Amino acid sequence: MAIQLVTDQLSTGLDDTFRTQLVGDFKVIEKALNDLDTAQDRLNSDKDKINQDLKNIKDDNKIRDANVQAIVNILAKYDVPIQIVNGKVVETEEGE
């Protein structure tokens, strides 16, 4: 959303130098506001991308954990002494 300030419609009854300086100041403020608006849009876009990336990472971690658990379950069926302890795959002693 571009912001446009009313600058050139100031009374000509003002001192011409003062009016010119004031118009210049308004134009600087107008540009700064529009730059901030553009930066906010970019930040919102970056935030959305970061949130999507985080969701993808969480989903990937869930899939990985499920796959590791499936592997451990398959190996346990063949009496391989392995299990998950504190989130890590570890070898166990026979009979544990």
Side-chain angles (χ1 to χ4, degrees):
M1 165 180 89
I3 296 171
Q4 186 171 7
L5 300 175
V6 179
T7 58
D8 294 330
Q9 297 174 10
L10 290 173
S11 168
T12 55
L14 299 173
D15 173 63
D16 195 43
T17 303
F18 176 70
R19 181 183 179 281
T20 302
Q21 290 172 340
L22 201 53
V23 167
D25 289 345
F26 275 120
K27 289 185 178 186
V28 168
I29 292 168
E30 181 179 55
K31 181 182 179 326
L33 289 173
N34 286 325
D35 290 348
L36 284 173
D37 196 35
T38 300
Q40 183 65 48
D41 290 343
R42 195 174 23 226
L43 284 173
N44 288 340
S45 175
D46 290 348
K47 178 184 169 192
D48 292 343
K49 183 181 180 318
I50 289 169
N51 285 337
Q52 184 60 48
D53 289 347
L54 180 60
K55 181 187 177 306
N56 291 343
I57 289 169
K58 287 179 180 180
D59 291 346
D60 289 347
N61 285 344
K62 286 179 186 177
I63 292 169
R64 184 205 61 231
D65 291 347
N67 287 339
V68 168
Q69 184 63 54
I71 291 168
V72 168
N73 292 343
I74 290 169
L75 292 173
K77 287 181 185 177
Y78 292 99
D79 294 326
V80 175
I82 192 170
Q83 65 181 5
I84 297 177
V85 177
N86 295 329
K88 296 179 182 178
V89 177
V90 295
E91 284 187 66
T92 60
E93 297 294 321
E94 289 288 332
E96 281 188 37

